[in-house]
Amino acid sequence: MLLLLFLSAARRTAEKSTFSRYLANVLLRRYNKVAYLETDVGQTEFTPPGLVSLTVIDKINSDLAIPCLKTPERRIPEERPTMFLSYVLSMYEDYVKDMFSSGIPLVINTCGWVKDSFYQVLDLKDASFQRDLHLMTYFRQCFPSYKTFLTYKELARALSVHPPYEVPISSAKIQHLHCQFPVKETFYSLNATIVGLADSASSKQFPQCVGLGIVRGLDTSKGVLLLLIPVPHSFLNGVDLLLQGFVQIPASLLQVQGCVSPYMSTHVLATY
């Protein structure tokens, strides 16, 4: 069987992601489904940033300027360069095993590193804006679809007062992907951060990440983590691992006019 693989590779700011989504639209006119392997973790198309993902697309997206979040077949957090390459290979192997025989074409969106080291970071203002836009769109899913927000400021205010999940600290495993913290500072380091929600039993080397959450705060007197989670409850079965990487919380969430941001309040943390 012929492998239909389309690789989008170019320098940064060359609109690779837009081209990849357009290419997927073109392929959907001929095929019922298209697989999309996302390796540009700084400016993702179908998931929040920070995740290598394999997504199956079955509908044409008519407006390429609007974020189009979907639930991928598999997603794992991007970490160090060597581990990053292992993740990408793992996703590709999943495609070959589960989708190739069905004749589903594959579009691979690359990360724009056409030379030098994998340590380069997408820090352009436009890319940063796109990341924040995807994250805000993602966390908008905390609310029912019929609830409208005219601006992202309204969404930020709604999130600041949205009831969080309470997760027992005793049942939570923490994995810092890029650095280590003293044991006494482990939970404090999570405050006001975005974490991956993973199932440690799915794979020791590549734990399955079902989505992202915002650590609203910690209450050590009650022994609970306070999390804002847009992931459906049914997806959370088996989640026992929080992955902390470098996905930054959008600044607009920290600047809610008229109230003290709950993510930065000192009152959310009880003393040890």
Side-chain angles (χ1 to χ4, degrees), residues 3 28-29 40 45 53 162 222 238 247 259 262:
L3 173 62
L28 282 171
R29 295 188 177 98
D40 188 354
E45 289 301 309
S53 63
H162 189 63
K222 293 182 178 180
V247 179
C259 66

CSV table of all heavy atoms in Angstrom, one decimal, residues 3 28-29 40 45 53 162 222 238 247 259 262:
chain,number,residue,atom,x,y,z
A,3,LEU,N,2.2,4.8,0.9
A,3,LEU,CA,2.2,5.7,2.1
A,3,LEU,C,2.1,7.1,1.6
A,3,LEU,O,3.0,7.6,0.9
A,3,LEU,CB,3.5,5.5,2.9
A,3,LEU,CG,3.7,6.5,4.1
A,3,LEU,CD1,2.5,6.3,5.1
A,3,LEU,CD2,5.0,6.2,4.8
A,28,LEU,N,-8.9,16.3,2.5
A,28,LEU,CA,-10.3,15.9,2.9
A,28,LEU,C,-11.3,15.9,1.8
A,28,LEU,O,-12.4,15.4,1.9
A,28,LEU,CB,-10.7,16.8,4.1
A,28,LEU,CG,-10.1,16.5,5.4
A,28,LEU,CD1,-10.5,17.5,6.5
A,28,LEU,CD2,-10.5,15.1,5.9
A,29,ARG,N,-11.0,16.6,0.7
A,29,ARG,CA,-11.9,16.6,-0.5
A,29,ARG,C,-11.8,15.2,-1.2
A,29,ARG,O,-12.7,14.9,-2.0
A,29,ARG,CB,-11.6,17.7,-1.4
A,29,ARG,CG,-11.8,19.1,-0.8
A,29,ARG,CD,-11.7,20.2,-1.9
A,29,ARG,NE,-11.9,21.5,-1.3
A,29,ARG,CZ,-11.0,22.4,-0.9
A,29,ARG,NH1,-9.7,22.0,-1.0
A,29,ARG,NH2,-11.3,23.5,-0.4
A,40,ASP,N,5.3,21.0,16.0
A,40,ASP,CA,5.6,22.4,16.3
A,40,ASP,C,4.9,22.7,17.6
A,40,ASP,O,3.8,23.2,17.7
A,40,ASP,CB,5.1,23.3,15.2
A,40,ASP,CG,5.5,24.7,15.4
A,40,ASP,OD1,6.1,25.0,16.5
A,40,ASP,OD2,5.3,25.5,14.5
A,45,GLU,N,-1.7,23.5,16.2
A,45,GLU,CA,-2.9,23.8,15.4
A,45,GLU,C,-4.2,23.2,16.0
A,45,GLU,O,-5.2,23.8,16.0
A,45,GLU,CB,-2.7,23.3,14.0
A,45,GLU,CG,-1.7,24.1,13.2
A,45,GLU,CD,-2.1,25.5,13.1
A,45,GLU,OE1,-3.3,25.9,12.7
A,45,GLU,OE2,-1.2,26.4,13.4
A,53,SER,N,1.4,15.7,19.2
A,53,SER,CA,0.1,15.0,19.1
A,53,SER,C,-0.1,14.4,17.7
A,53,SER,O,0.4,14.9,16.7
A,53,SER,CB,-1.1,16.0,19.4
A,53,SER,OG,-1.1,17.0,18.5
A,162,HIS,N,-14.4,30.5,38.5
A,162,HIS,CA,-15.0,29.2,38.1
A,162,HIS,C,-14.6,28.2,39.2
A,162,HIS,O,-13.4,28.1,39.6
A,162,HIS,CB,-14.5,28.7,36.8
A,162,HIS,CG,-15.1,27.5,36.3
A,162,HIS,ND1,-16.5,27.4,36.0
A,162,HIS,CD2,-14.6,26.2,36.0
A,162,HIS,CE1,-16.8,26.2,35.6
A,162,HIS,NE2,-15.7,25.4,35.6
A,222,LYS,N,-6.2,21.5,53.9
A,222,LYS,CA,-7.2,20.5,53.5
A,222,LYS,C,-6.5,19.4,52.7
A,222,LYS,O,-7.1,18.3,52.5
A,222,LYS,CB,-8.2,21.1,52.6
A,222,LYS,CG,-9.1,22.1,53.3
A,222,LYS,CD,-10.2,22.6,52.4
A,222,LYS,CE,-11.2,23.6,53.1
A,222,LYS,NZ,-12.2,24.1,52.1
A,238,GLY,N,-8.1,7.4,35.7
A,238,GLY,CA,-6.7,6.9,35.6
A,238,GLY,C,-5.7,8.0,35.7
A,238,GLY,O,-4.5,7.7,35.8
A,247,VAL,N,5.0,25.4,29.5
A,247,VAL,CA,3.8,26.1,29.0
A,247,VAL,C,3.4,27.1,30.0
A,247,VAL,O,2.9,26.8,31.1
A,247,VAL,CB,2.7,25.1,28.7
A,247,VAL,CG1,1.5,25.8,28.1
A,247,VAL,CG2,3.2,24.0,27.7
A,259,CYS,N,-10.5,42.5,40.3
A,259,CYS,CA,-10.3,41.5,41.4
A,259,CYS,C,-8.9,41.0,41.4
A,259,CYS,O,-8.2,41.1,40.4
A,259,CYS,CB,-11.3,40.3,41.2
A,259,CYS,SG,-10.9,39.3,39.8
A,262,PRO,N,-6.8,35.0,41.3
A,262,PRO,CA,-6.6,33.9,42.2
A,262,PRO,C,-5.4,33.1,42.0
A,262,PRO,O,-4.9,32.4,42.9
A,262,PRO,CB,-7.9,33.0,41.9
A,262,PRO,CG,-8.2,33.4,40.5
A,262,PRO,CD,-7.9,34.8,40.4
